[in-house]
Amino acid sequence: MKMQRWFPVAFTEPGKQYFRESAPGAIRIEPDGKSAFTPASAGRHRIMLLDEAKIKPVLRRLEETVGGTY
């Protein structure tokens, strides 16, 4: 069964593609608690990537959604 993927911000803006999906890889948790992603063609994990130019629109939409402004 293929796992469905969804990004919460995508639901607030149908048709917008704020995030893109990484290539396959592996995520591990470092001793300090941070996650680290290593690309690997046979990897089972992917991460969400956000281009720098989309940071402000995503933050603005999150603030509007959480704050109740529509």
Side-chain angles (χ1 to χ4, degrees):
M1 179 167 113
K2 182 162 173 80
M3 192 168 127
Q4 294 292 322
R5 293 186 182 101
W6 60 274
F7 306 136
V9 175
F11 283 174
T12 64
E13 294 281 85
K16 300 278 185 178
Q17 293 185 357
Y18 291 119
F19 300 97
R20 56 191 169 83
E21 193 174 50
S22 73
I27 298 173
R28 69 180 180 284
I29 306 301
E30 300 289 345
D32 64 2
K34 294 180 182 176
S35 60
F37 179 78
T38 303
S41 60
R44 295 179 30 191
H45 305 138
R46 293 180 184 262
I47 57 174
M48 293 184 341
L49 301 171
L50 178 62
D51 294 324
E52 181 125 2
K54 294 182 179 179
I55 292 173
K56 285 185 181 180
V58 167
L59 289 175
R60 181 173 45 253
R61 188 61 183 134
L62 284 170
E63 289 171 354
E64 290 170 355
T65 302
V66 173
T69 303
Y70 298 94

